[in-house]
Amino acid sequence: MHYFDLFLRWIDRAFSWKVPQRLARFPFRLAVLLACVSLGAALTGCATALPHIDREAIASEAIEASSKTTLGRIAQASLPEPGLSGFRLMPLGTFSFDTRVQLARRAEETLDVQYYHLENDETGRWLLRALRDAANRGVRVRLLIDDLYTGGQDSLFLAFAAHPNVQVRLFNPFCCARDRGQTGRFLASLGDISRVNHRMHNKLFMADGAMAVIGGRNVANEYYLRGTSENFIDLDAFVIGNVLPAMGALFDRYWNSRAVYPLEAIAKTEHTREELLAYFEEETGPAKTPAPQPLNSTDVLGYAPIADDLDAGRLGLHWGSAYVFADHPDKPFEGVAGGELLETSVTYNVLEAVGLAQREVVASSPYFVPGVKGMKFLKQLRDRGVKVTVMTNSLGSTDEPIVHTGYSRYREQMLREGVELYELSTSRVKGNKRPFLFSKSLGRLHAKLFVIDRKTSFIGSMNLDPRSATVNTEFGAVIDCPEIAREIIRVIDIDRLQSAYQVRLAKSGNGLEWLGLDDDREVILTTEPDTSFWLRLKSWVLSPLVPEEQL
């Protein structure tokens, strides 16, 4: 069942285009699945072991913040008192991306960048060029990316790594089929599937050890409102202060871990260094990589671009105590999928914070699969009178319909326990009059947020699902700051009230209803919003086939 679900998941992605006769798609995918299993078995013999790496010889450490750098001086000047951390939320992807670029342009000593997905598109190439420009100024650039989405992109990353002062490393790399996509590389790694199934889902961008961006966004067009067909609703935070040294230490733990390999040890090329440099210049130049659109004067929370504060030499932030944590990079290889939570895991620490709630918990998670243990946890909260509100994707808005089947198993039970559920609607996102700028693109929820008693918040990469708990690694921050908590509630409420349906038990006692308000007119649906019959049928057929611990 473990391998079967993996293939269903990747085949579902590989064959997700629209075709006229959609009824034939599911049998076709099953046929392809069987063919792929046979092909993968044949390819398994071609798999080779990963190279031996002398990790002590290539180890390096984060450079701490210093008043010698401009960013370090601004951070010190902005800090109201020792021991605090400062935060600014960035709900708009355009502002969030510009903040990363601004930090890259102003860095003087070091840039430490860690992502699950860095796409070879206009957004990914623009950021890589900003990092390259920093490296050309003498800034040390360390880029750590998970290897899942790098299929066919080795040339771009090798060209980036050919520049002086640039190092690129891969987390848990695929040893072969480097030029193929996810499905092809998984097929070629069937003999090693228990290893390559584990991924690094962390997101972190640090500049000069003094400033950072954390949150849920990867680096691709759809995370920064540049996607033509779909865009993600997400939230990042700009951070300075007391938590920065801990972020640097967490980055180092991954950078020097046994699961991480230098790009050059895995990806090979016949091109000379000069050819790689010329290729990078062409790919990231204006002809292929246009600049992002200019920013608005303020975002939805009323903040101006971070560049304005940096130019002024002082940052306007919300201040509070905070701590950051990340799963140990060895966690996914030592634990058991669906097993007990490690006390050092992000999920364990988040649930510990949520368990302290006295009045209210508000959560946003694109994938929400509570499982039996999670349902017991929710019941304990409700039995103590804690109000629980959850915002997640609907079947129509999720990019992982198979994961939605794991969530839908528990909807009625959660509603009977008194949990309030809201599901994002693609049609309501398009009609949202608030300035999220989605236009005609498909909106999908991607923000991973918790607010506890309107004073403590979590921002990070962790979903509320078994994969985040025991299969992948994650990163996040718990922030004790009522102002940040209020702003997160405000952002969630914009989506909850204007872009989502509330799910409730049908008055008949059987099934569910989806309730929304359109221009003060109540709308009640009795089928999954924004879905076709065939999508609902596929979800129903796949539901019993999906092992929950892999979702």
Side-chain angles (χ1 to χ4, degrees), residues 78-344:
S78 302
L79 186 67
E81 61 181 88
L84 296 180
S85 297
F87 297 86
R88 178 183 296 182
L89 300 183
M90 295 181 291
L92 274 187
T94 50
F95 278 65
S96 180
F97 183 66
D98 183 70
T99 298
R100 291 167 169 84
V101 172
Q102 291 295 330
L103 293 181
R105 288 175 175 172
R106 297 163 190 259
E108 297 170 12
E109 287 191 345
T110 179
L111 287 164
D112 290 336
V113 182
Q114 180 181 14
Y115 283 103
Y116 171 60
H117 181 193
L118 198 160
E119 183 59 46
N120 181 4
D121 60 12
E122 293 85 354
T123 295
R125 293 191 298 271
W126 186 266
L127 184 62
L128 286 178
R129 191 176 182 91
L131 295 175
R132 188 283 308 268
D133 292 345
N136 285 347
R137 300 195 306 270
V139 177
R140 184 191 70 175
V141 177
R142 299 192 295 176
L143 173 62
L144 173 57
I145 49 178
D146 186 87
D147 198 38
L148 179 61
Y149 286 99
T150 62
Q153 299 183 24
D154 283 353
S155 295
L156 178 66
F157 290 117
L158 285 167
F160 176 59
H163 292 86
N165 302 314
V166 171
Q167 300 174 60
V168 180
R169 295 187 184 179
L170 302 175
F171 181 89
N172 199 22
F174 292 82
C175 64
C176 45
R178 299 288 311 168
D179 57 341
R180 303 181 199 171
Q182 299 167 353
T183 304
R185 296 200 293 177
F186 267 101
L187 289 173
S189 303
L190 274 180
D192 207 13
I193 197 74
S194 62
R195 176 182 68 83
V196 298
N197 180 37
H198 300 289
R199 310 312 322 170
M200 180 192 74
H201 198 235
N202 309 37
K203 289 95 174 173
L204 177 63
F205 190 106
M206 293 185 62
D208 285 346
M211 300 181 184
V213 176
I214 64 173
R217 290 185 176 101
N218 294 296
V219 181
N221 284 344
E222 57 268 28
Y223 295 94
Y224 302 98
L225 299 177
R226 300 185 75 182
T228 56
S229 60
E230 65 179 47
N231 284 286
F232 287 110
I233 297 172
D234 213 327
L235 185 140
D236 288 328
F238 172 80
V239 190
I240 71 170
N242 191 56
V243 293
L244 267 294
M247 289 183 186
L250 291 173
F251 181 93
D252 287 347
R253 188 164 68 174
Y254 276 80
W255 184 255
N256 299 315
S257 72
R258 62 189 176 104
V260 169
Y261 290 76
L263 173 68
E264 297 84 354
I266 302 297
K268 305 302 179 183
T269 180
E270 297 179 354
H271 295 290
T272 65
R273 180 174 179 271
E274 289 70 24
E275 290 172 334
L276 289 173
L277 294 177
Y279 173 75
F280 186 87
E281 187 66 29
E282 178 184 1
E283 291 298 304
T284 64
K288 293 187 177 181
T289 307
Q293 293 294 318
L295 298 180
N296 295 333
S297 57
T298 59
D299 67 8
V300 297
L301 293 175
Y303 294 120
I306 201 70
D308 292 1
D309 285 31
L310 294 175
D311 289 342
R314 195 170 185 88
L315 297 161
L317 307 174
H318 292 305
W319 299 91
S321 60
Y323 60 94
V324 295
F325 39 80
D327 292 314
H328 194 282
D330 292 338
K331 164 203 142 182
F333 310 106
E334 297 178 348
V336 178
E340 292 297 321
L341 290 176
L342 300 176
E343 292 187 5
T344 56

Side-chain angles (χ1 to χ4, degrees), residues 492-514:
I492 292 176
D493 280 350
I494 291 175
D495 298 323
R496 182 175 63 87
L497 299 176
Q498 297 195 24
S499 299
Y501 285 102
Q502 181 177 3
V503 187
R504 68 184 187 187
L505 296 169
K507 293 181 180 180
S508 64
N510 296 318
L512 303 174
E513 294 178 344
W514 287 261

Side-chain angles (χ1 to χ4, degrees), residues 380-427:
Q380 290 172 347
L381 289 174
R382 293 294 300 129
D383 287 347
R384 291 196 287 108
V386 176
K387 180 182 178 182
V388 179
T389 303
V390 177
M391 176 83 175
T392 190
N393 275 307
S394 64
L395 178 59
S397 67
T398 184
D399 61 336
E400 293 283 8
I402 292 178
V403 179
H404 190 272
T405 65
Y407 155 69
S408 62
R409 296 170 187 169
Y410 297 98
R411 273 189 303 203
E412 290 196 26
Q413 185 179 352
M414 283 189 285
L415 291 171
R416 296 186 192 283
E417 293 290 350
V419 176
E420 291 189 8
L421 294 180
Y422 292 83
E423 295 181 359
L424 191 77
S425 160
T426 56
S427 60

